[in-house]
Amino acid sequence: MDGGGGHKSGSPIYKRSPDMTKSPMTKSEQLLRIDDHDFTMRPAFGGPPIPVGVDVQVESLDTISEVDMDFTMTLYLRHYWKDERLSFPSTNNQSMTFDSRLVKKIWVPDMFFVHSKRSFIHDTTTDNVMLRVYPDGNVLYSLRVTVTAMCNMDLSRFPLDTQTCSLEIESYAYTDDDLMLHWKKGNESLNTDDRISLSQFLIQKFHTTAKLAFYSSTGWYNRLYIHFTLRRHIFFFLLQTYFPATLMVMLSWVSFWIDRRAVPARVPLGITTVLTMSTIITGVNASMPRVSYIKAVDIYLWVSFVFVFLSVIEYAAVNYLSTVQERKERKLRERLPCTCGIGNPDDMMIDPQITGYGSMDINTTGNYGMPENGGRQERMLAQVALNDPQITGQVKPSRGYVNIWIDTHAIDKYSRVVFPGAYILFNIIYWSIYS
């Protein structure tokens, strides 16, 4: 036995064989034989198309723009394929992971986003690209991308709409004869973060499909689709658009209860509500694309605008008809024998026993008994000297009474019922169709 505690004589010494993938003396390019192959050609060139599997992890859905008709999404895009030229010996089947520097020296699928406006690979703190090579030649190529792509939206039901947008992935150079692009695990190839949320939309679902796309000059290409369905939140628009518009319409109805002679009150009220509705319509359209069809919000706002406008026209009609009525009463008053025994208009009194009111000047009643309250007919009893048989049909030396029935507020009376009823009916129909 050797001194110093050596091994027993004759006992074999077993040494672990070194793993070439972990050897510091072996360069990765030498291990993968980068220089021995032409990586400008796809794997198995001249043979069947190479299958390339894809899966996607959606990190965030950033913005949805109705004005630009696009959306912005950040995702992890992963490609899977097999390139036997990259196979290497390994005793424990461990893979090798590389960054973007090796990606430029080997063949990778040339994916691009169809209908994209802008896209970029994140580069903080380095390029967010990962390449993992397995001993049998299987390759995983992953990158973190933010892409802004087009989304054709149908805004005819805005803001009570549901939109479906799609992100399309396709090979730029290789047709289906050279590259077979497919989802690696079907619909399970798409994963999303549960914390993804949008301020205006509720994300209902994500799903995937695959189709062939044809270009007349180059041929058929495999195209992968990521579809996501968005339902718009209505509460914001209820507070900012629908509720103010409804209040303006209801405010315009207040003029039906204001005396028709209060011109300084009714006219500014009508003009204010019309201008406010115009401001609301302008504000909504300023944040929307200039589409050539009518949106649901346009229908509501313009119908509300018509109701407000009609309330102004209603007062114009009341004022005009009242003026016509006053002219008729003035002519009637001129025919009455007001100068016979009455030297002053103050002598023309309202009988307090019948009306319950004391004496008042005829001028304070609005030109011969215009009613102060707008809804009911009032009988004004004018106390006059009736000595003319052409008017009374008889000759009496004493005073008598002539009953004059006036209804100048009939339009206001009916408007109080017709306008709210019609607007409530419109709301029932509108919300039953679009909700």
Side-chain angles (χ1 to χ4, degrees):
M1 187 173 183
D2 296 336
H7 292 282
K8 291 182 178 181
S9 60
S11 62
I13 299 176
Y14 296 98
K15 295 183 178 180
R16 183 179 179 181
S17 59
D19 187 357
M20 298 299 293
T21 64
K22 304 300 181 181
S23 175
M25 301 300 296
T26 304
K27 293 183 178 180
S28 59
E29 295 184 11
Q30 295 177 354
L31 184 63
L32 298 176
R33 304 187 304 276
I34 299 296
D35 297 332
D36 296 342
H37 303 282
D38 182 9
F39 283 97
T40 60
M41 310 296 290
R42 70 170 179 86
F45 177 77
I50 174 175
V52 176
V54 174
D55 69 36
V56 170
Q57 172 77 37
V58 178
E59 181 182 12
S60 65
L61 192 57
D62 302 323
T63 57
I64 308 291
S65 175
E66 295 87 0
V67 178
D68 298 326
M69 292 282 187
D70 60 22
F71 65 92
T72 301
M73 177 187 292
T74 300
L75 52 90
Y76 296 95
L77 180 61
R78 304 186 183 98
H79 313 73
Y80 302 86
W81 74 93
K82 185 173 184 180
D83 191 344
E84 295 181 353
R85 297 173 295 182
L86 297 177
S87 60
F88 59 90
S90 178
T91 58
N92 53 9
N93 199 31
Q94 290 188 356
S95 62
M96 292 190 297
T97 302
F98 305 95
D99 57 18
S100 60
R101 289 172 290 184
L102 187 64
V103 173
K104 300 177 181 178
K105 299 180 180 181
I106 66 172
W107 181 90
V108 293
D110 57 341
M111 298 295 103
F112 80 103
F113 297 101
V114 185
H115 303 141
S116 66
K117 297 181 178 180
R118 296 173 300 277
S119 61
F120 63 91
I121 299 174
H122 290 257
D123 55 2
T124 305
T125 57
T126 62
D127 291 340
N128 295 175
V129 175
M130 185 267 288
L131 183 72
R132 182 171 294 168
V133 182
Y134 294 87
D136 58 356
N138 283 313
V139 181
L140 165 61
Y141 174 46
S142 176
L143 59 158
R144 181 168 174 252
V145 184
T146 294
V147 55
T148 300
M150 183 177 64
C151 179
N152 292 322
M153 301 182 185
D154 181 12
L155 300 175
S156 59
R157 298 178 64 89
F158 176 89
L160 304 166
D161 57 333
T162 299
Q163 303 294 339
T164 299
C165 299
S166 301
L167 183 64
E168 305 171 15
I169 306 172
E170 185 181 306
S171 172
Y172 188 82
Y174 297 98
T175 65
D176 62 338
D177 295 329
D178 291 319
L179 189 146
M180 185 176 64
L181 195 64
H182 64 92
W183 290 110
K184 189 173 187 296
K185 296 180 181 179
N187 208 35
E188 297 180 357
S189 301
L190 178 62
N191 298 307
T192 59
D193 193 334
D194 295 334
R195 295 174 296 178
I196 296 177
S197 62
L198 295 169
S199 59
Q200 283 195 33
F201 293 92
L202 172 65
I203 303 175
Q204 291 187 320
K205 65 175 181 177
F206 282 88
H207 68 282
T208 61
T209 57
K211 297 180 181 179
L212 284 174
F214 177 73
Y215 298 90
S216 59
S217 57
T218 53
W220 293 89
Y221 293 81
N222 294 114
R223 182 178 295 180
L224 304 180
Y225 296 83
I226 300 174
H227 304 285
F228 55 95
T229 304
L230 307 171
R231 183 167 59 84
R232 196 182 305 274
H233 293 301
I234 186 60
F235 188 71
F236 171 81
F237 297 95
L238 287 176
L239 291 180
Q240 297 295 322
T241 303
Y242 287 94
F243 189 60
T246 302
L247 286 182
M248 287 301 104
V249 175
M250 296 174 66
L251 184 61
S252 68
W253 300 339
V254 175
S255 64
F256 303 151
W257 276 266
I258 299 177
D259 195 298
R260 65 157 189 91
R261 292 165 295 176
V263 177
R266 295 189 66 165
V267 172
L269 178 61
I271 295 176
T272 300
T273 53
V274 169
L275 293 179
T276 304
M277 283 301 306
S278 300
T279 303
I280 295 175
I281 294 174
T282 303
V284 171
N285 291 329
S287 60
M288 295 298 298
R290 297 179 179 178
V291 294
S292 58
Y293 49 83
I294 299 176
K295 304 181 290 293
V297 68
D298 294 335
I299 296 176
Y300 194 91
L301 291 180
W302 279 105
V303 171
S304 300
F305 182 86
V306 169
F307 271 89
V308 172
F309 182 76
L310 288 178
S311 68
V312 179
I313 300 300
E314 186 270 348
Y315 177 62
V318 168
N319 194 29
Y320 173 77
L321 294 178
S322 298
T323 303
V324 173
Q325 180 70 18
E326 290 175 2
R327 291 174 182 174
K328 293 180 180 179
E329 292 168 1
R330 190 178 300 113
K331 293 180 180 179
L332 177 61
R333 193 168 53 211
E334 291 174 355
R335 294 174 55 192
L336 291 175
C338 297
T339 59
C340 299
I342 301 177
N344 195 315
D346 293 339
D347 294 333
M348 186 177 295
M349 311 296 291
I350 299 175
D351 189 348
Q353 296 180 355
I354 298 179
T355 62
Y357 295 94
S359 302
M360 65 176 64
D361 193 338
I362 190 65
N363 293 327
T364 64
T365 62
N367 290 330
Y368 204 75
M370 287 292 100
E372 293 286 344
N373 53 347
R376 66 179 190 270
Q377 292 179 335
E378 291 190 4
R379 182 176 64 180
M380 308 303 295
L381 300 178
Q383 188 175 12
V384 296
L386 301 177
N387 296 323
D388 190 352
Q390 295 181 354
I391 297 177
T392 62
Q394 57 183 344
V395 178
K396 288 185 180 180
S398 62
R399 293 182 177 181
Y401 295 96
V402 177
N403 294 340
I404 303 175
W405 296 82
I406 304 172
D407 189 10
T408 58
H409 289 262
I411 297 179
D412 276 345
K413 181 179 65 177
Y414 292 122
S415 296
R416 296 172 188 176
V417 177
V418 173
F419 273 72
Y423 196 69
I424 292 174
L425 178 62
F426 161 71
N427 274 271
I428 293 174
I429 297 175
Y430 179 89
W431 292 108
S432 63
I433 292 176
Y434 289 104
S435 61

